[in-house]
Amino acid sequence: MSDTPITILGISGSLRAGSYNTAALHAAAELLPPGMRLVLADISDIPLYNDDVRAKGWPSSVERFRKQIAEADAILFSTPEYNYSIPGLLKNAIDWASRPPEQPFAGKATAIMGASPGAVGTARAQYHLRQIGVFLDLKFLNKPEVMIGGAGDRFDAGGKLTHEPTREFIKTMLVALQELALMLKHHKK
C-alpha cells in the first residue's frame, strides 16, 4: 500500500438530477477502501466539440476536465445506455479531452459501471466505452463488471444505493481498481 492515496476521477454520463449513474458514483465514494479518494468530474458545461474552437484555445471547462484526468490515478465511468451506446454527452467530453497534445487518458487504470431501469444494466454502453478506451490507451479493469439492472429497485427515493449485493460488487470493483492503479503507478517508476 502506498502512503499517497489513489485518486479516482468519477465521470457520470448523465446530467439528470435523479441520475442512477451519478448516485452509483456517490455509493462508490461511500464504499472506497482505505487509501483511495474519489473526485467527481462535472462535464455539464463542456460545449459541443468543434475543432475550430479548440484551435483558438481550450474552453475553460475542457481545461478543467483535462486537468482532473491528468491528476487522477484512475478513472471510474458510470454510464447510462442510450440507443445501445454511451450518451452523446459522455462521448463529447471524451472527444474534447482526448485531443492532442498530451492526451490525458493514456495509461490510466479504468473501471466502468452503469445503472439502468432495464434488465441489461448498460452492458452494450459499457462495451462501446471499452472500444473507445482502446484508442485512448485506457487500462481497463476486466472484472468484476458492475451492471446495475432494475435500478429503480436498487436505489431508494433519495438516490442511495440500498441493494447490498450491488454494494458488494462495487466494493470488490474498487479494491480491484486500487490494485490495478497501484500496479500501473509502480510500473511507471
Side-chain angles (χ1 to χ4, degrees), residues 61-77:
S61 57
V62 174
E63 278 186 345
R64 180 190 68 233
F65 185 48
R66 284 174 54 92
K67 184 175 187 230
Q68 286 181 306
I69 297 163
E71 292 175 350
D73 299 300
I75 307 291
L76 175 56
F77 290 104

Side-chain angles (χ1 to χ4, degrees), residues 8-64:
I8 303 171
L9 181 62
I11 304 170
S12 176
S14 177
L15 297 179
R16 190 171 65 85
S19 165
Y20 294 127
N21 287 283
T22 303
L25 287 172
H26 288 292
E30 296 171 10
L31 300 168
L32 291 171
M36 289 185 94
R37 71 185 194 102
L38 182 94
V39 175
L40 293 178
D42 177 5
I43 60 174
S44 65
D45 57 350
I46 293 177
L48 290 175
Y49 183 78
N50 180 333
D51 203 50
D52 292 335
V53 172
R54 185 195 59 83
K56 294 175 186 170
W58 300 105
S60 61
S61 57
V62 174
E63 278 186 345
R64 180 190 68 233

